[in-house]
Amino acid sequence: MSETLYKRLKKYSDSDYYGFHMPGHKRNKELIKADIPYAYDITEITGFDDLHHSKEILKEEQERAAKIFHAEETAFLVNGSTVGILSAILGSTEKGDRILVARNCHKSVYHAIYMNELHVDYIYPNYDPEVELNGEIDPEKIRKKLEENYKSDCENKIKAVMIVSPTYDGVLSDIETIAKIVHEYGIPLIVDEAHGAHFGFHPYFPRNANEKGADIVIQSIHKTLPSLTQTALIHMNGQIVDRESVRMYLHMLQSSSPSYILMASIDECIDMLENYRDAYFQSYVENLDNVRKNLRHLKHLKLVETGKVEYDKSKLVISVKDTKMTGKELHWILLKKYHLEMELSAGSYVLAMTSIGDKKDGMDRLVKALYEIDEELDKKELFNKKGEKEPNNVDNISKRTDSCEKNIKLHSYQLPELEQVYPSAEAIKKAKNKENVVSLEYKNCVGYISTEYAYLYPPGIPIIVPGEQISNEAIKILIQYECAGFDIEGAKEEGKLEVLK
């Protein structure tokens, strides 16, 4: 392209054009005394196209993005990957249809299920107790679920398959094999690749899901590429997916006043990928690989390899499993003492996300901090010499929910497999009649049917979904997370869940 959107916006801001149109700040820098880019913030005026009916520069930019990301069709998203996931699922199903979903998907997937009142079958990820991480989705589990559904007398056949790969922690599923299995039934495979927008731009990282046969791929380019927060892409491939329907929902759910600053950010990111990616990625990969090699020599903390063959090496997962420290505590030490902000903390690890935006001095600071903490653990013997664990049962835990001990460690991070009694939409509908529900403390919820979600954010993967019968295992997880200092989101009241009477 001869001119990017950003360059056109800059040229316009330097011109003598005066706007009698939105937005209300009128590009008046004197009105608000803040360093905010008002000069580039415009609406759909002459010469700047319309995202919802693109014919000119925005059409060209989206076509360029499709080429760069190896997709047949690409659309800009200014409401994050969330709007892409919602549109993908709603556009691939009709109200009341059935969908097959990986149970470790983001909460936006469950919101789409609710919006279209879908029936859902779940595939649970494999779990690796050695690293205490939920792993990949087994293709054979997907094959079995589809075979059972299509051979059964059930009239409500599965209409789409939705998985996440890579996960927040960098775990990859075998997209190529899964796509072939799903396509045998003539239905689309939707992949939440929000954390894999950097895939395919250097041999150090895997190819992206567009190249592996996925029908719809959603990527948050703001997560792992140099683009502003809230920017994302949705890609569509092949003949199976109903592209018109997906486009219709994008028009419905995306803002009718898309930010030109956000779209310019996407375009500049794509311009960088087209023209300068080799140099930037090579430097980044060299730094990252050195960091990973250095961290492998930690004594008590541990760098977790999140895949046996292929995984996202940009994610640095630092485990505290063999110490008496929790992931939350390591997070706070790194933040308060070293001024290093992690992406997330979980029960037994912290996650440091890296990207081509990282500088060597930042990476070096992280390595130095982790080695200092590792040495302190040695001095204070804050590690498990014998790997001894505390008793793992609700009675022991619930007795101390009012005054949780400092070093509470979970004993399993595996997603609990809960019985679905009602579809989520039906459960939430029942809860609208307040005579049907009661709010109970976690420890009293076992056996009841939830009308609320319960999840940590990040990563936003529900532990409990409305319509599911709450198990003892699920409550143990909630209570232990709470005791370890995590906020449980999704419910109206802290420490309680609303359930059907």
Side-chain angles (χ1 to χ4, degrees), residues 145-410:
K145 282 280 188 180
L146 289 171
E147 283 179 355
E148 289 174 352
N149 176 256
Y150 274 79
K151 288 180 179 178
S152 71
D153 295 330
C154 175
E155 294 182 4
N156 197 354
K157 302 301 183 187
I158 292 168
K159 298 300 194 301
V161 176
M162 173 86 220
I163 69 170
V164 55
S165 178
T167 66
Y168 221 127
D169 306 315
V171 176
L172 286 161
S173 292
D174 184 352
I175 300 297
E176 213 153 8
T177 300
I178 292 170
K180 288 176 183 176
I181 293 168
V182 171
H183 292 162
E184 289 175 13
Y185 294 85
I187 58 176
L189 172 64
I190 307 167
V191 177
D192 174 1
E193 199 172 56
H195 284 268
H198 58 295
F199 284 5
F201 296 117
H202 191 282
Y204 195 73
F205 301 111
R207 293 176 299 140
N208 71 27
N210 290 318
E211 299 181 84
K212 295 181 177 181
D215 300 277
I216 305 179
V217 180
I218 303 98
Q219 296 177 325
S220 289
I221 61 170
H222 74 90
K223 283 184 168 68
T224 60
L225 291 173
S227 190
L228 292 177
T229 295
Q230 213 169 296
T231 56
L233 301 171
I234 183 170
H235 310 287
M236 291 186 280
N237 306 293
Q239 303 302 313
I240 294 175
V241 62
D242 185 346
R243 300 193 194 189
E244 276 299 321
S245 186
V246 174
R247 292 188 204 112
M248 178 185 74
Y249 280 105
L250 284 174
H251 294 323
M252 287 181 181
L253 299 175
Q254 286 227 89
S255 172
S256 59
S257 300
S259 166
Y260 275 79
I261 294 173
L262 294 182
M263 290 189 289
S265 170
I266 297 173
D267 193 33
E268 287 300 306
C269 176
I270 291 165
D271 191 68
M272 179 279 296
L273 291 172
E274 184 176 52
N275 295 303
Y276 310 109
R277 68 176 181 240
D278 290 347
Y280 286 130
F281 267 92
Q282 185 58 37
S283 174
Y284 163 49
V285 165
E286 288 173 3
N287 285 334
L288 176 60
D289 197 49
N290 285 332
V291 167
R292 296 190 72 91
K293 287 175 180 175
N294 287 334
L295 293 180
R296 290 191 185 111
H297 301 292
L298 290 166
K299 187 175 180 181
H300 304 299
L301 301 175
K302 181 181 179 183
L303 174 67
V304 175
E305 310 288 343
T306 57
K308 293 181 174 64
V309 180
E310 192 176 47
Y311 59 99
D312 180 8
K313 296 176 184 176
S314 76
K315 308 296 193 301
L316 301 175
V317 177
I318 309 300
S319 173
V320 299
K321 181 189 173 190
D322 296 329
T323 77
K324 294 179 181 178
M325 181 186 290
T326 65
K328 192 78 168 179
E329 288 169 329
L330 177 57
H331 170 93
W332 278 107
I333 293 170
L334 288 166
L335 178 63
K336 297 300 182 181
K337 183 175 180 180
Y338 297 97
H339 295 180
L340 297 171
E341 181 81 68
M342 299 298 100
E343 171 63 24
L344 69 79
S345 58
S348 68
Y349 66 92
V350 299
L351 170 64
M353 283 181 65
T354 70
S355 80
I356 61 171
D358 279 301
K359 297 179 179 179
K360 187 177 184 301
D361 62 341
M363 298 272 215
D364 291 344
R365 281 178 60 190
L366 177 61
V367 172
K368 184 173 183 291
L370 289 172
Y371 268 97
E372 285 185 10
I373 295 167
D374 203 55
E375 288 177 13
E376 285 298 310
L377 289 171
D378 211 18
K379 292 174 187 175
K380 298 177 181 178
E381 294 194 350
L382 294 174
F383 55 90
N384 296 325
K385 291 183 177 179
K386 299 179 181 178
E388 294 175 354
K389 304 279 187 178
E390 291 182 305
N392 185 20
N393 59 70
V394 170
D395 290 337
N396 284 352
I397 297 161
S398 59
K399 286 176 184 176
R400 59 194 186 200
T401 53
D402 293 331
S403 56
C404 293
E405 295 177 8
K406 185 179 179 182
N407 290 312
I408 291 176
K409 295 175 74 70
L410 274 167

Side-chain angles (χ1 to χ4, degrees), residues 2 25 29-30 83-84 133 183 222 254 331 429 451 471 484 491:
S2 59
H25 56 69
K29 299 177 184 177
E30 297 176 4
V83 76
L133 284 176
H183 292 162
H222 74 90
Q254 286 227 89
H331 170 93
K429 185 177 180 181
T451 62
S471 69

